[in-house]
Amino acid sequence: MDTSAGEKVALITTESLTKRYRVGGHDLLATDNVSITINQGEFVAIIGESGSGKSTLLQLLGGLDKPTSGSVTIGGVDITNLSDGKLSKFRSQTIGFVFQSFYLQPFLTLRRNIEVAAMPSRMKRAARRARTDELAEQVGLTDRLGYYPRQLSGGQIQRVAIARALFNKPPILLADEPTGNLDSQNSRGIIALFRDVCRTLGTTVVVVTHSREIATMADRVVMVKDGAVV
Ligand code: ADP
Ligand code: MG
């Protein structure tokens, strides 16, 4: 048995994960009996057609939504059984989200937009500034920290969203179509950034995309169809 480099440690495990919506008197299986394991330090792409259940699956993996049945375990913690308060604390310590629903505040500079992430941890001002400078450097936006979101390109906005998600050094980064509105060159840049974070910090990265080209840059591709992993 190979116990040296390449050893796999499960970080996120789902068991028979199911999410059912009741729409107009019909049952819709948005997530259908999904049992998958994502390893520590792995970079996984979730792909599938629009409406196939990618976002629902990602939200369940991140504890933003409760499954109808089945479970999600992260680092040995079954998050499906946590109270809302405990879950929210667990999420803030464990997961960075790059989701369209948590976009940038238009009236705050980039620096402030990134520092918003520090609030739950009540970091001192100097430490917050230092962390923001470090992240800006990492995502290549050092000379833009005084700008407002409307003064940035789509690719730059994504970089700010990623910097913010990384603020508290989460072991897991979840991103829902982070390249959705970008051209292919900017898309590759964003995915390269995720890869870099994964390789240098050991962060486990799960990215939803509808682009097969993007998916080829991941360690593993999980294909979703009609809510099921195929
Ligand atoms: P994708 O991200 O792959 O486009 P989603 O996970 O957003 O797919 O949606 C999967 C299916 O679940 C779709 O048919 C969608 O209409 C349905 N769905 C998603 N969220 C809800 C909801 N809150 N209520 C009812 N149906 C939903
Ligand atoms: Mg989606």
Side-chain angles (χ1 to χ4, degrees), residues 29-31 47-54 224-228:
L29 264 179
T31 303
I47 68 165
E49 287 172 14
S50 174
S52 58
K54 304 181 296 296
V224 176
K225 193 168 183 231
D226 298 330

PDB file of all heavy atoms in Angstrom, residues 29-31 47-54 224-228:
ATOM      1  N   LEU A  29     -36.920  16.155  -8.137  1.00  0.00           N
ATOM      2  CA  LEU A  29     -35.706  15.680  -7.474  1.00  0.00           C
ATOM      3  C   LEU A  29     -34.520  16.518  -7.939  1.00  0.00           C
ATOM      4  O   LEU A  29     -33.950  16.259  -8.988  1.00  0.00           O
ATOM      5  CB  LEU A  29     -35.454  14.220  -7.834  1.00  0.00           C
ATOM      6  CG  LEU A  29     -35.950  13.155  -6.873  1.00  0.00           C
ATOM      7  CD1 LEU A  29     -35.630  11.773  -7.413  1.00  0.00           C
ATOM      8  CD2 LEU A  29     -35.369  13.338  -5.476  1.00  0.00           C
ATOM      9  N   ALA A  30     -34.183  17.533  -7.167  1.00  0.00           N
ATOM     10  CA  ALA A  30     -33.078  18.404  -7.565  1.00  0.00           C
ATOM     11  C   ALA A  30     -31.737  17.721  -7.279  1.00  0.00           C
ATOM     12  O   ALA A  30     -30.760  17.919  -7.997  1.00  0.00           O
ATOM     13  CB  ALA A  30     -33.164  19.732  -6.834  1.00  0.00           C
ATOM     14  N   THR A  31     -31.706  16.918  -6.207  1.00  0.00           N
ATOM     15  CA  THR A  31     -30.527  16.093  -5.907  1.00  0.00           C
ATOM     16  C   THR A  31     -31.036  14.684  -5.641  1.00  0.00           C
ATOM     17  O   THR A  31     -31.913  14.491  -4.796  1.00  0.00           O
ATOM     18  CB  THR A  31     -29.761  16.631  -4.668  1.00  0.00           C
ATOM     19  OG1 THR A  31     -29.403  17.997  -4.906  1.00  0.00           O
ATOM     20  CG2 THR A  31     -28.502  15.824  -4.401  1.00  0.00           C
ATOM     21  N   ILE A  47     -19.899  19.377 -13.200  1.00  0.00           N
ATOM     22  CA  ILE A  47     -20.448  19.869 -14.464  1.00  0.00           C
ATOM     23  C   ILE A  47     -21.813  19.233 -14.748  1.00  0.00           C
ATOM     24  O   ILE A  47     -22.195  18.239 -14.133  1.00  0.00           O
ATOM     25  CB  ILE A  47     -19.499  19.639 -15.675  1.00  0.00           C
ATOM     26  CG1 ILE A  47     -19.369  18.162 -15.995  1.00  0.00           C
ATOM     27  CG2 ILE A  47     -18.131  20.233 -15.437  1.00  0.00           C
ATOM     28  CD1 ILE A  47     -18.755  17.942 -17.382  1.00  0.00           C
ATOM     29  N   GLY A  48     -22.534  19.842 -15.672  1.00  0.00           N
ATOM     30  CA  GLY A  48     -23.853  19.343 -16.036  1.00  0.00           C
ATOM     31  C   GLY A  48     -24.618  20.469 -16.697  1.00  0.00           C
ATOM     32  O   GLY A  48     -24.250  21.639 -16.565  1.00  0.00           O
ATOM     33  N   GLU A  49     -25.691  20.097 -17.372  1.00  0.00           N
ATOM     34  CA  GLU A  49     -26.492  21.108 -18.076  1.00  0.00           C
ATOM     35  C   GLU A  49     -27.209  22.019 -17.084  1.00  0.00           C
ATOM     36  O   GLU A  49     -27.342  21.684 -15.909  1.00  0.00           O
ATOM     37  CB  GLU A  49     -27.517  20.404 -18.968  1.00  0.00           C
ATOM     38  CG  GLU A  49     -26.865  19.788 -20.186  1.00  0.00           C
ATOM     39  CD  GLU A  49     -27.833  18.935 -20.979  1.00  0.00           C
ATOM     40  OE1 GLU A  49     -29.055  19.032 -20.739  1.00  0.00           O
ATOM     41  OE2 GLU A  49     -27.332  18.179 -21.825  1.00  0.00           O
ATOM     42  N   SER A  50     -27.705  23.119 -17.612  1.00  0.00           N
ATOM     43  CA  SER A  50     -28.479  24.035 -16.791  1.00  0.00           C
ATOM     44  C   SER A  50     -29.703  23.294 -16.253  1.00  0.00           C
ATOM     45  O   SER A  50     -30.368  22.571 -16.996  1.00  0.00           O
ATOM     46  CB  SER A  50     -28.883  25.219 -17.660  1.00  0.00           C
ATOM     47  OG  SER A  50     -29.725  26.048 -16.947  1.00  0.00           O
ATOM     48  N   GLY A  51     -29.970  23.446 -14.956  1.00  0.00           N
ATOM     49  CA  GLY A  51     -31.125  22.780 -14.351  1.00  0.00           C
ATOM     50  C   GLY A  51     -30.858  21.345 -13.918  1.00  0.00           C
ATOM     51  O   GLY A  51     -31.749  20.668 -13.422  1.00  0.00           O
ATOM     52  N   SER A  52     -29.613  20.885 -14.067  1.00  0.00           N
ATOM     53  CA  SER A  52     -29.305  19.489 -13.723  1.00  0.00           C
ATOM     54  C   SER A  52     -29.127  19.276 -12.217  1.00  0.00           C
ATOM     55  O   SER A  52     -29.104  18.129 -11.762  1.00  0.00           O
ATOM     56  CB  SER A  52     -28.052  19.022 -14.470  1.00  0.00           C
ATOM     57  OG  SER A  52     -26.955  19.856 -14.146  1.00  0.00           O
ATOM     58  N   GLY A  53     -28.982  20.374 -11.446  1.00  0.00           N
ATOM     59  CA  GLY A  53     -28.875  20.225  -9.998  1.00  0.00           C
ATOM     60  C   GLY A  53     -27.494  20.562  -9.434  1.00  0.00           C
ATOM     61  O   GLY A  53     -27.195  20.235  -8.283  1.00  0.00           O
ATOM     62  N   LYS A  54     -26.665  21.258 -10.184  1.00  0.00           N
ATOM     63  CA  LYS A  54     -25.301  21.585  -9.738  1.00  0.00           C
ATOM     64  C   LYS A  54     -25.318  22.533  -8.530  1.00  0.00           C
ATOM     65  O   LYS A  54     -24.645  22.295  -7.540  1.00  0.00           O
ATOM     66  CB  LYS A  54     -24.500  22.242 -10.877  1.00  0.00           C
ATOM     67  CG  LYS A  54     -24.437  21.415 -12.147  1.00  0.00           C
ATOM     68  CD  LYS A  54     -23.614  22.101 -13.229  1.00  0.00           C
ATOM     69  CE  LYS A  54     -24.193  23.436 -13.720  1.00  0.00           C
ATOM     70  NZ  LYS A  54     -25.512  23.312 -14.395  1.00  0.00           N
ATOM     71  N   VAL A 224     -23.215  15.800 -13.260  1.00  0.00           N
ATOM     72  CA  VAL A 224     -24.567  15.707 -12.680  1.00  0.00           C
ATOM     73  C   VAL A 224     -25.580  15.700 -13.811  1.00  0.00           C
ATOM     74  O   VAL A 224     -25.491  16.493 -14.764  1.00  0.00           O
ATOM     75  CB  VAL A 224     -24.832  16.901 -11.737  1.00  0.00           C
ATOM     76  CG1 VAL A 224     -26.249  16.862 -11.203  1.00  0.00           C
ATOM     77  CG2 VAL A 224     -23.840  16.936 -10.598  1.00  0.00           C
ATOM     78  N   LYS A 225     -26.550  14.801 -13.710  1.00  0.00           N
ATOM     79  CA  LYS A 225     -27.633  14.756 -14.695  1.00  0.00           C
ATOM     80  C   LYS A 225     -28.931  14.460 -13.960  1.00  0.00           C
ATOM     81  O   LYS A 225     -29.010  13.485 -13.209  1.00  0.00           O
ATOM     82  CB  LYS A 225     -27.332  13.666 -15.743  1.00  0.00           C
ATOM     83  CG  LYS A 225     -28.221  13.773 -16.929  1.00  0.00           C
ATOM     84  CD  LYS A 225     -27.762  12.895 -18.085  1.00  0.00           C
ATOM     85  CE  LYS A 225     -28.685  13.130 -19.253  1.00  0.00           C
ATOM     86  NZ  LYS A 225     -29.208  11.898 -19.806  1.00  0.00           N
ATOM     87  N   ASP A 226     -29.943  15.285 -14.176  1.00  0.00           N
ATOM     88  CA  ASP A 226     -31.232  15.126 -13.482  1.00  0.00           C
ATOM     89  C   ASP A 226     -31.051  14.912 -11.978  1.00  0.00           C
ATOM     90  O   ASP A 226     -31.714  14.057 -11.390  1.00  0.00           O
ATOM     91  CB  ASP A 226     -32.026  13.964 -14.089  1.00  0.00           C
ATOM     92  CG  ASP A 226     -32.370  14.217 -15.552  1.00  0.00           C
ATOM     93  OD1 ASP A 226     -32.529  15.398 -15.932  1.00  0.00           O
ATOM     94  OD2 ASP A 226     -32.446  13.234 -16.311  1.00  0.00           O
ATOM     95  N   GLY A 227     -30.131  15.634 -11.384  1.00  0.00           N
ATOM     96  CA  GLY A 227     -29.936  15.566  -9.940  1.00  0.00           C
ATOM     97  C   GLY A 227     -29.015  14.450  -9.464  1.00  0.00           C
ATOM     98  O   GLY A 227     -28.582  14.443  -8.315  1.00  0.00           O
ATOM     99  N   ALA A 228     -28.702  13.513 -10.360  1.00  0.00           N
ATOM    100  CA  ALA A 228     -27.877  12.370  -9.952  1.00  0.00           C
ATOM    101  C   ALA A 228     -26.449  12.523 -10.485  1.00  0.00           C
ATOM    102  O   ALA A 228     -26.227  13.158 -11.508  1.00  0.00           O
ATOM    103  CB  ALA A 228     -28.487  11.071 -10.489  1.00  0.00           C
TER     104      ALA A 228
END
